[in-house]
Amino acid sequence: MNMHLAEFNFGTLRYPFGDPRIAGFEEAVDRVNAIGARSPGFIWRLPDDAMEFAQEDPSGPLKDRPNTASTLSVWEDAASLYQFVTKTLHARIMKGAPEWFVPGDSGHLVCWMVPVGCRPTVAEGLQKWHVLQERGETEEVFGANRLKEHALQSSA
């Protein structure tokens, strides 16, 4: 069966959306998402309205994480995602993370393989992140370190 790479990443903003102290982050989100959507290997990203609902739903998977900023997407492979994360505007924008995100609570990333055509949910992404926290990186569920390894292997 053909597989794609799903990724869920999140962090807690220091201030609520709309606060001028995170304006640089908010202004960059649409540009970064547009670059992602045009990037080689990009398949799908949870639409903004669905992500906003997941982030604000008082009974949803992120209910205990106020001011969460997150992305859920699917890519053809690790190399495509790694290229986007490290070689585009995304990398430059994330250098501002320390001023926008709660220290120690940003850049949470989990990756896992999904069947072609699968559209994972935020609940699934958060569950995979919990597995990653409990067991560490495996071939089935991994974070940034193994993403880089997979990307380098596939481009070699």
Side-chain angles (χ1 to χ4, degrees), residues 23-90:
F25 172 77
E26 289 189 76
E27 291 166 3
V29 168
D30 288 340
R31 288 186 304 165
V32 170
N33 286 342
I35 290 168
R38 293 190 310 267
S39 293
F42 173 83
I43 303 292
W44 170 86
R45 180 178 61 83
L46 185 64
D48 293 339
D49 58 340
M51 183 56 77
E52 185 175 330
F53 178 78
Q55 291 170 170
E56 296 175 1
D57 182 3
S59 62
L62 298 172
K63 66 180 179 277
D64 297 327
R65 299 190 59 85
N67 297 333
T68 295
S70 55
T71 305
L72 176 65
S73 60
V74 175
W75 295 78
E76 285 181 10
D77 53 33
S80 300
L81 174 59
Y82 187 75
Q83 176 74 20
F84 164 68
V85 169
T86 62
K87 306 293 184 198
T88 69
L89 176 65
H90 180 277

Side-chain angles (χ1 to χ4, degrees), residues 140-155:
E140 291 76 33
V141 178
F142 53 92
N145 292 333
R146 186 106 359 132
L147 173 65
K148 182 177 180 180
E149 289 174 18
H150 283 294
L152 294 175
Q153 288 170 358
S154 66
S155 63

